[in-house]
Amino acid sequence: EVHLEQSGAEVKKPGESLKISCQGSGYDFATYWIAWVRHMPGKGLEWMGIIYPGDSDTAYSPSFQGQVTISADKSVRAAYLEWSTLKASDSAMYYCARASSGGPFDFWGQGTLVTVSS
Amino acid sequence: SYVLTQAPSVSVAPGQTARITCGGDNIGGRNVHWYQQKPGQAPVLVVYDSSDRPSGIPERFSGSNSGNTATLTIIGVEVGDEADYFCQVWNPSNDHRVFGGGTKLTVL
């Protein structure tokens, strides 16, 4: 059974760094893309970027390019979303989701709630 | 960048048919995917490649796509269908994905 398990909720202060994770199981992790999606309260879904764990090929939304770093380690079947300097406006729920090349996001993680507050 | 336009809200009575649209330039030439998101839950894929249904999704959910509009149709709407619905496409030229702004379906 395909499953994406995300790391737990985080509470951080502005200016701090953060790396959240998404662990895949039940399928060949290296051969499916993993995307990150932001969901802010009362807002829509925003595609942030995507990575292919097999070769770490990565694409970013222009809105998030330079703001976050997406990485993956296929040896531990995990993808990551990282901030070097958090802002209050980064407070949101973040989802990872699996996709084949050009295909839909067919499986989603449970979400990681990030709260950035002084 | 490619823009997908959805109406903010749609309201229907139980048992009626809901049609949720997603507008985009020549969207009929692209594969459109639809997601249902209920409060506090992760999104769920309900239609992919414009008109296919994943296993486990009721036949009440269907999709169509032509010209500049893709449509998610829910026949015999139930109270449990009340949710936000998002359309999404892939841009093969740069591997980017795009979501529509979402439509809140209210079942009166």
Side-chain angles (χ1 to χ4, degrees), chain B residues 8-91:
Chain B
S9 62
V10 167
S11 299
V12 296
Q16 298 303 302
T17 296
R19 293 180 179 83
I20 298 170
T21 61
C22 177
D25 184 33
N26 194 28
I27 196 173
R30 298 172 183 252
N31 281 327
V32 180
H33 315 304
W34 290 92
Y35 304 90
Q36 175 195 68
Q37 187 179 31
K38 297 180 180 179
Q41 298 183 23
V44 172
L45 178 68
V46 293
V47 166
Y48 68 97
D49 292 351
S50 299
S51 59
D52 291 333
R53 208 172 35 253
S55 61
I57 300 301
E59 292 183 10
R60 303 184 295 103
F61 290 82
S62 65
S64 62
N65 187 16
S66 179
N68 294 320
T69 305
T71 304
L72 173 69
T73 301
I74 310 172
I75 295 173
V77 168
E78 301 175 357
V79 172
D81 297 332
E82 194 164 274
D84 293 324
Y85 291 85
F86 297 90
C87 57
Q88 180 252 314
V89 300
W90 172 56
N91 185 346

Side-chain angles (χ1 to χ4, degrees), chain A residues 29-52:
Chain A
F29 184 76
T31 61
Y32 284 83
W33 296 78
I34 293 288
W36 288 96
V37 176
R38 184 173 78 175
H39 189 205
M40 301 181 77
K43 303 293 186 182
L45 301 176
E46 299 175 89
W47 177 74
M48 302 176 70
I50 197 164
I51 189 165
Y52 188 75

